[in-house]
Amino acid sequence: MRSFLAAVLVVLITAAAAAQTSAPAASAEPPRLVSLSHFIHATTKLEPTIAFYRDIFGMTIPEPRVFSSPGAALLNNVPGLGLRLAMARFSDGFGFELTEFSNVDRKGGQGLPTDPGAVQLILPVRSVDEVLANARKAGAEILSKAEGAAGAVTIATASGPSRSVILRDTDGYLVRAMEVSAAEATQPGLVQPGVSLALAVKDMNATVKFYREIIGMPLVGDTKYQRNKAWAELYGAAANSEFRQMMFTFPGTKARQEFIEWKGMKRTPFQLRVPDPGAGGWVARVSDLGEMHKKMKENKVAMVTPEPIWFTKTTWDIFISDPDGMHLELFQNIPAPAPKPTD
């Protein structure tokens, strides 16, 4: 059976590449991120996860649908892979894709917010108290502790003080609700603009190098460690622990990718595969996937897809993992070949 499926995969790859017989020409510019498409979150089953974000955050998420294209199997390098998905849209202009995979072994897990590899969705909200009330009603796990009691803490941010709390959804995926000021609450509903992502990392130096040299995104922030009681309570970290933070902003958006490295406490690397419930990451368009791929091979980057594949006739695509196991889907849009003139 495995031999048969492998043969089918080869046929699919050949068919998908038929419209494009060679890799796109390299650009004269260094490869870089062009735009953010969406964040990704694998689930055990879509319906309970959709209910979590609807009941606690008031999010509207469309009904799940079956993704029948062979692109998902090619991209994940898993013959016969099945996929259901639901795509929410944020007011920021990008999406939040919830996925449910089948015909593949899946093993979920629950990392602590401080564990290297733990991905965290950041949702700016109009009211943290409303989020907490909804979370308690739904029985959601509240990880942040203010003075030892589960609840919100007030942290310092670039926009000023923010009452914030970290929850765990039905798949173990981490979600941080951050209350914004009345002036920043410009959209109807609970979730406001500025949705972002955070990742706990093992070695900030390695993270900075990867995103600068492979992804073409320099990070900004303070490389010095600091001690802060409120941030420790937010993350459920030891009182005497220290951390440092870096970040970049996705081009054309307010969305940030934040990175935080903790020390002075036990940390257990936490990594999931793309189909595993609780896995997260993001999907973005890049300027030159061919040159990026060369750099990936030179630097021995972990690649879910060994070589870029033609996801569609005009989309060249690859799945990779960053140094802490967060999954990045990078794609380049290639214009369709001009039709040949007829006599």
Side-chain angles (χ1 to χ4, degrees):
M1 177 62 76
R2 288 184 181 274
S3 298
F4 171 75
L5 291 175
V8 171
L9 182 59
V10 170
V11 171
L12 291 174
I13 292 172
T14 303
Q20 299 278 3
T21 57
S22 61
S27 168
E29 299 289 330
R32 58 182 175 81
L33 288 188
V34 174
S35 60
L36 173 65
S37 175
H38 54 275
F39 294 154
I40 52 177
H41 167 15
T43 72
T44 304
K45 190 171 179 59
L46 284 170
E47 284 76 9
T49 307
I50 291 172
F52 174 93
Y53 289 95
R54 179 195 64 216
D55 296 345
I56 296 178
F57 293 97
M59 291 174 58
T60 299
I61 301 177
E63 287 295 314
R65 63 182 179 88
V66 175
F67 187 80
S68 56
S69 166
L74 297 173
L75 191 60
N76 287 275
N77 200 24
V78 179
L81 183 75
L83 173 62
R84 296 173 68 227
L85 60 83
M87 178 76 81
R89 304 297 302 185
F90 295 120
S91 62
D92 301 86
F94 58 89
F96 182 42
E97 183 183 67
L98 302 174
T99 58
E100 177 191 330
F101 291 92
S102 59
N103 301 329
V104 63
D105 183 38
R106 299 184 299 159
K107 296 179 181 178
Q110 295 191 356
L112 296 175
T114 52
D115 286 340
V119 177
Q120 184 181 131
L121 178 67
I122 303 174
L123 295 178
V125 298
R126 186 181 296 273
S127 169
V128 159
D129 286 335
E130 184 176 345
V131 170
L132 281 170
N134 294 341
R136 290 185 172 113
K137 183 177 180 181
E141 184 180 2
I142 301 169
L143 299 179
S144 302
K145 289 181 170 54
E147 301 296 338
V153 299
T154 301
I155 60 171
T157 73
S159 302
S162 171
R163 295 182 64 238
S164 303
V165 65
I166 296 176
L167 312 175
R168 194 188 294 281
D169 77 6
T170 53
D171 304 290
Y173 186 84
L174 303 173
V175 190
R176 184 199 312 173
M178 295 184 63
E179 189 170 87
V180 299
S181 67
E184 294 174 295
T186 59
Q187 297 295 316
L190 192 52
V191 177
Q192 298 299 307
V195 175
S196 298
L197 211 64
L199 176 70
V201 305
K202 180 180 179 180
D203 179 355
M204 188 67 75
N205 295 332
T207 296
V208 169
K209 182 176 186 294
F210 172 85
Y211 282 92
R212 181 185 66 239
E213 297 184 5
I214 306 299
I215 307 300
M217 293 299 296
L219 272 57
V220 298
D222 192 349
T223 58
K224 295 180 181 178
Y225 288 97
Q226 59 176 300
R227 186 174 296 179
N228 184 290
K229 178 184 177 183
W231 276 88
E233 289 182 330
L234 176 67
Y235 269 74
N240 63 345
S241 59
E242 295 180 303
F243 65 93
R244 55 180 178 171
Q245 292 177 295
M246 302 286 285
M247 57 83 68
F248 70 80
T249 301
F250 288 97
T253 74
K254 294 182 179 179
R256 305 176 311 281
Q257 173 62 70
E258 300 181 359
F259 303 94
I260 186 166
E261 178 189 353
W262 291 86
K263 75 171 186 176
M265 58 182 299
K266 181 181 178 181
R267 300 179 302 153
T268 304
F270 178 71
Q271 295 188 5
L272 297 171
R273 301 166 306 152
V274 174
D276 290 336
W282 43 262
V283 180
R285 184 163 67 95
V286 301
S287 63
D288 191 338
L289 184 56
E291 287 302 304
M292 275 193 177
H293 186 241
K294 288 180 183 177
K295 292 179 180 290
M296 293 170 194
K297 291 194 291 186
E298 290 169 0
N299 289 272
K300 296 181 172 53
V301 170
M303 291 182 276
V304 178
T305 321
E307 299 284 336
I309 60 101
W310 289 103
F311 193 81
T312 69
K313 292 181 179 180
T314 58
T315 304
W316 211 33
D317 207 341
I318 195 170
F319 236 138
I320 68 170
S321 300
D322 83 351
D324 292 285
M326 182 170 70
H327 304 300
L328 316 180
E329 182 184 341
L330 307 173
F331 68 92
Q332 181 180 355
N333 289 335
I334 313 297
K340 295 182 179 179
T342 57
D343 295 332

